[in-house]
Amino acid sequence: MVAEFKQIVREMFGWKDPAIPPQKMRGYAAAQTGRLVSDFVSKQTSLESDWVRSLVIIRERARDLVKNDDYAKKAVLLFRANVIGSKGFKFQSNVRELALNEKGNWIWVSDAMANTKIEEALADWSKRNHCSISGMNTFRQIQDLAGQYWFRDGEAFIRGMKDPLAKYGFRLQMIEPEAIDETLNQVLPNGNVIKMGVEVDKWRRPVNYYIKKPTAQSELYGQLMYTREYDVIPAGEMIHVFDQEFVNQTRGISLLVQSMIRLHMLGRYEEAALINARVAANKVGWFMNPEGEIVGDIEPDAVEDDGTKIMSAEPGEFHDIGNKRFESFSPEYPTAQHEMFVKTILHATSAGVGVAYASLTNDLGDTSYSSARVGLLEERELWKLRQQVFVETFLEPVFERWLPMAILSGALKLPMSKLEKFTAPVWIGRRWAWVDPLKDITAMALARKIKIETLTQQLAEKGEDLIQTLQEFAEEEAEAQKWGLSTKIEDSKTPAEPGATDSSVEPADGGKPAKRDEGDELLNLTMRLIESGGDARATARREFARKALEVVKSNGNHED
C-alpha cells in the first residue's frame, strides 16, 4: 500500500525520482570485458597445459623457420656466436687451499698442481674420441649443438653415460627432444606423475625420463619414427637444458615462439612482393579489339584439373588476342611504404627474439654510435644471462658427473677423498670488445690506479684469468731473455693518463703538444663503472662520478 500511495502522489504533483549518476568502473582497465577485448584471453589456464597442447606444433614450426627464413637463421647464428662463441666456454679450475703466510696467518691460496691436472684432463677429455659416445663430436661441438637445440626447440637433452671402456669412464650422448614422449602423461601407483615424458615426484624433482625407442626406418632413413616402447633413463644420467619461466615447468619452449607468426607472415609477404615486382618488370600486355573481347584462341602454359588455364609471364611478352587496342598489365606493388612496413615488423621481431634490430637485420642506416652502444649493452646483458643459464643447466652438471668418473678411472691422478675440494669449476663465456679500445684501456688503467677496479675483475670481464695471464707474461719474458731480448714496453705513457700530453699529435699552431681530452676519458670511465653494477664499491663510484662531473664542467667540453 505504501508503494501504491507514493506512486499516486508522484502522478498528482508530477514528482520524479532524482537521476542516479552512472557509476564509474573501478579496478584495472586490463580486466575489462566487452566487444573490443572479446578476443583477449581471460580464462584461467595452467601454463603447462598450453605446453602440452602446443609443444610439438611450435617445435616443428620453429625448425621450419630456421630452415627457410633468413631472419630466423640469423637469430640462431647470433645465439651461437654470442652465447656459445667460436671456442665454446673456457674452463678454469679454481681449487684453493689454506696456507700460512709470512706473518703466520692462514690465507686461501691457489692449488696450482690440482688446477693444472684438472684443466689438462678436461682438455684431453674434450676431444671427440673421449667425449662423445659416437666419437663424432668434441665437447665444443656438443656445446654448440646443445645451444642450437635450446634456442630453436626450446630445450636440449644430453645423456651423461658411464662407460668403463672409456679412458675417463664418462661420455655424452645427444638425444632428440621429440624422443622424450610429450604425449605420455599419467599418474603412477607410487604417487609420482609423468608429465610430457618426464617423471617427477611430489616435490617436482625429476626422477626418470621416458625415451621412445627408434624404429629401423628411423635408423636407416633418418625418419622421426619411434615405437611405443621406452628406455627409462634416471634423472642422474640426463642433463636437460632449458630456460625455466615458471615454477612447475617440465619442458622448454622455442625462444622464437613470440616472433613465429610475424616471421612466417613476413616471409610470405616478401615472397608475394618479390613475385609481383618480377611480374611488373616483365612488361606484359595484350592486344585487344575495341570492345575488349578476346579474338582467337590462346594456348595456355598449363591446365589445372578443374580446367583453369594458367599462363606464365615472360620479359617483354605481348599476347595478340585482338588487333586494335593495347592493354598493358603492370602491377605497381611493392610501393614506397614497403621498406617502412618491413622495418616495423622486424623491430617487433628483434624485440621478441631478444637481439638488437641492427644485429638481426644488418641495417645500420639509422644507427649512430651512441644508439648502437645503448642497444648493444642491453643485448649483451641478455647474452650474459643466457650464458649463465647454459652454465648452470649444462656445463656445471657435466663437470659434476665427469670429475668423479675421471678420478675413479685413474685418468685423473687426484684423491677421491677430496672430491668436494676439487669441484671448483669456473666457466667463462665469450666477451666483446668495443670499437674504440684506446679509451677503454685508458679507463681501465685509471680505474686500477684509483682502486675501484682490480685487474682480476677486468680480466674476468674480458674472459681471461689473472693467474694464467701472469704465467703467460712470465713465460714470455723468460723465453725472450734466452734470446737476449725483452718483452717490456719502454713507452710508459701509453695509455696516457688524463691530462698528459700526446707527443704523437702535432699541434695545429706549432705550439705545445695537444692535451688529451680529460673530460672524455673520465666520462668513459664513469659509464664503465655504472655499467659494471654491484654494491661493494657504490660509495666510491658515486664520489668518483661527482668529481668527474666537476672536471667535465670545468673543461667546458660537455656542458650537457
Side-chain angles (χ1 to χ4, degrees):
M1 295 294 293
V2 175
E4 294 176 356
F5 177 75
K6 287 182 177 181
Q7 181 63 29
I8 294 173
V9 172
R10 289 192 190 98
E11 294 176 355
M12 290 176 59
F13 295 96
W15 290 350
K16 296 181 179 179
D17 291 333
I20 301 176
Q23 298 295 319
K24 293 185 177 180
M25 178 179 178
R26 290 181 174 273
Y28 292 101
Q32 294 180 6
T33 59
R35 177 179 58 82
L36 296 179
V37 291
S38 60
D39 60 342
F40 204 160
V41 176
S42 58
K43 183 180 179 181
Q44 183 176 356
T45 59
S46 166
L47 288 173
E48 195 156 49
S49 67
D50 295 334
W51 257 241
V52 174
R53 295 191 300 267
S54 309
L55 183 64
V56 176
I57 297 174
I58 291 175
R59 183 174 64 220
E60 295 308 315
R61 287 179 175 176
R63 291 182 175 184
D64 179 73
L65 280 174
V66 172
K67 285 188 292 186
N68 298 296
D69 187 84
D70 305 299
Y71 298 111
K73 184 65 175 180
K74 178 62 180 296
V76 174
L77 293 174
L78 286 171
F79 188 90
R80 295 173 62 188
N82 290 280
V83 175
I84 309 301
S86 59
K87 297 181 179 179
F89 282 76
K90 184 176 182 180
F91 170 75
Q92 292 175 356
S93 179
N94 192 31
V95 179
R96 300 192 173 199
E97 58 184 357
L98 285 171
L100 285 171
N101 62 8
E102 297 176 353
K103 298 181 180 180
N105 298 324
W106 289 97
I107 60 172
W108 287 101
V109 297
S110 176
D111 188 342
M113 182 176 294
N115 288 331
T116 300
K117 286 184 176 180
I118 294 173
E119 289 172 1
E120 289 179 350
L122 188 68
D124 183 49
W125 173 78
S126 297
K127 299 175 182 177
R128 67 179 71 236
N129 55 323
H130 300 315
C131 172
S132 170
I133 193 69
S134 65
M136 296 179 62
N137 304 111
T138 65
F139 189 41
R140 188 210 65 80
Q141 290 175 320
I142 292 179
Q143 292 178 43
D144 190 31
L145 282 171
Q148 290 184 66
Y149 274 97
W150 174 26
F151 184 85
R152 182 189 62 229
D153 298 354
E155 56 188 350
F157 292 91
I158 305 95
R159 184 180 180 185
M161 303 178 62
K162 297 179 181 179
D163 186 355
L165 301 179
K167 178 180 179 180
Y168 293 90
F170 181 77
R171 296 179 188 266
L172 299 178
Q173 178 190 16
M174 294 289 299
I175 297 176
E176 295 282 358
E178 62 268 13
I180 288 77
D181 191 358
E182 56 273 322
T183 65
L184 183 60
N185 299 277
Q186 63 184 47
V187 179
L188 299 178
N190 61 0
N192 290 351
V193 177
I194 303 177
K195 301 192 71 174
M196 292 179 285
V198 181
E199 179 184 346
V200 296
D201 61 16
K202 64 177 182 179
W203 306 112
R204 302 292 304 174
R205 184 186 294 111
V207 178
N208 292 306
Y209 290 80
Y210 290 75
I211 302 178
K212 295 180 288 186
K213 293 183 178 181
T215 63
Q217 290 82 359
S218 176
E219 295 294 336
L220 288 174
Y221 308 112
Q223 299 176 353
L224 298 180
M225 299 177 64
Y226 297 93
T227 66
R228 297 303 299 178
E229 298 177 354
Y230 299 101
D231 286 325
V232 182
I233 307 300
E237 293 184 13
M238 186 66 76
I239 299 170
H240 188 188
V241 181
F242 71 102
D243 192 3
Q244 188 172 3
E245 299 182 29
F246 58 92
V247 176
N248 294 327
Q249 184 175 346
T250 307
R251 301 286 296 266
I253 198 112
S254 173
L255 300 186
L256 289 167
V257 62
Q258 279 79 19
S259 304
M260 267 184 198
I261 298 299
R262 278 192 175 92
L263 283 175
H264 175 72
M265 294 297 182
L266 179 62
R268 302 290 77 78
Y269 164 79
E270 288 187 319
E271 179 184 12
L274 180 63
I275 295 173
N276 197 75
R278 178 182 175 184
V279 172
N282 286 339
K283 298 299 180 185
V284 179
W286 294 268
F287 290 101
M288 306 178 67
N289 65 7
E291 291 75 21
E293 298 175 353
I294 297 177
V295 179
D297 188 17
I298 302 175
E299 290 295 330
D301 295 313
V303 180
E304 294 185 349
D305 295 337
D306 59 357
T308 302
K309 297 179 180 180
I310 300 176
M311 296 181 64
S312 61
E314 299 293 339
E317 186 176 81
F318 301 95
H319 295 277
D320 185 3
I321 59 176
N323 56 6
K324 298 296 182 183
R325 179 169 57 89
F326 177 74
E327 186 76 19
S328 65
F329 174 69
S330 181
E332 299 299 328
Y333 201 82
T335 64
Q337 300 301 320
H338 172 82
E339 181 180 1
M340 185 58 64
F341 176 75
V342 172
K343 279 188 175 182
T344 302
I345 298 299
L346 290 177
H347 273 105
T349 299
S350 61
V353 176
V355 301
Y357 167 80
S359 300
L360 182 66
T361 63
N362 295 326
D363 181 8
L364 303 176
D366 300 327
T367 304
S368 64
Y369 177 80
S370 300
S371 62
R373 184 181 179 96
V374 171
L376 286 174
L377 281 173
E378 182 178 356
E379 180 186 25
R380 289 175 180 180
E381 284 302 313
L382 180 57
W383 294 137
K384 291 178 185 178
L385 172 62
R386 287 172 170 171
Q387 284 178 347
Q388 189 60 30
V389 172
F390 194 76
V391 168
E392 294 172 354
T393 59
F394 177 62
L395 297 176
E396 288 181 351
V398 167
F399 183 81
E400 291 170 1
R401 290 163 169 80
W402 169 83
L403 183 62
M405 297 305 300
I407 295 175
L408 290 173
S409 67
L412 179 56
K413 307 296 183 182
L414 290 174
M416 189 67 179
S417 58
K418 297 183 179 181
L419 176 64
E420 184 175 355
K421 170 189 172 182
F422 301 138
T423 308
V426 177
W427 298 95
I428 302 175
R430 178 218 167 150
R431 291 298 180 262
W432 307 267
W434 289 107
V435 295
D436 193 355
L438 179 60
K439 287 187 177 181
D440 289 326
I441 293 173
T442 302
M444 291 167 63
L446 183 57
R448 293 201 305 273
K449 181 178 180 180
I450 61 178
K451 293 183 172 48
I452 53 177
E453 279 187 1
T454 65
L455 182 59
T456 302
Q457 291 173 324
Q458 293 175 350
L459 287 172
E461 183 63 24
K462 291 171 62 66
E464 303 295 339
D465 176 66
L466 174 66
I467 296 177
Q468 183 176 354
T469 302
L470 296 177
Q471 287 176 346
E472 290 178 357
F473 274 120
E475 292 171 0
E476 284 183 354
E477 184 63 25
E479 188 66 26
Q481 288 178 359
K482 293 180 182 180
W483 298 88
L485 302 173
S486 175
T487 59
K488 295 181 180 179
I489 300 175
E490 299 298 333
D491 185 9
S492 60
K493 293 182 181 180
T494 303
E497 297 180 3
T501 59
D502 188 354
S503 58
S504 63
V505 179
E506 293 293 336
D509 55 358
K512 296 181 180 180
K515 178 179 285 190
R516 291 184 180 273
D517 191 340
E518 184 177 11
D520 279 345
E521 294 176 359
L522 288 175
L523 278 177
N524 195 324
L525 177 57
T526 304
M527 182 177 289
R528 283 177 51 79
L529 294 175
I530 294 173
E531 293 167 2
S532 63
D535 297 328
R537 298 179 176 82
T539 304
R541 290 191 179 105
R542 286 194 296 269
E543 182 64 18
F544 176 76
R546 184 183 63 78
K547 293 180 179 179
L549 184 59
E550 291 176 357
V551 173
V552 171
K553 288 182 176 179
S554 65
N555 286 347
N557 294 330
H558 300 275
E559 295 180 358
D560 294 337

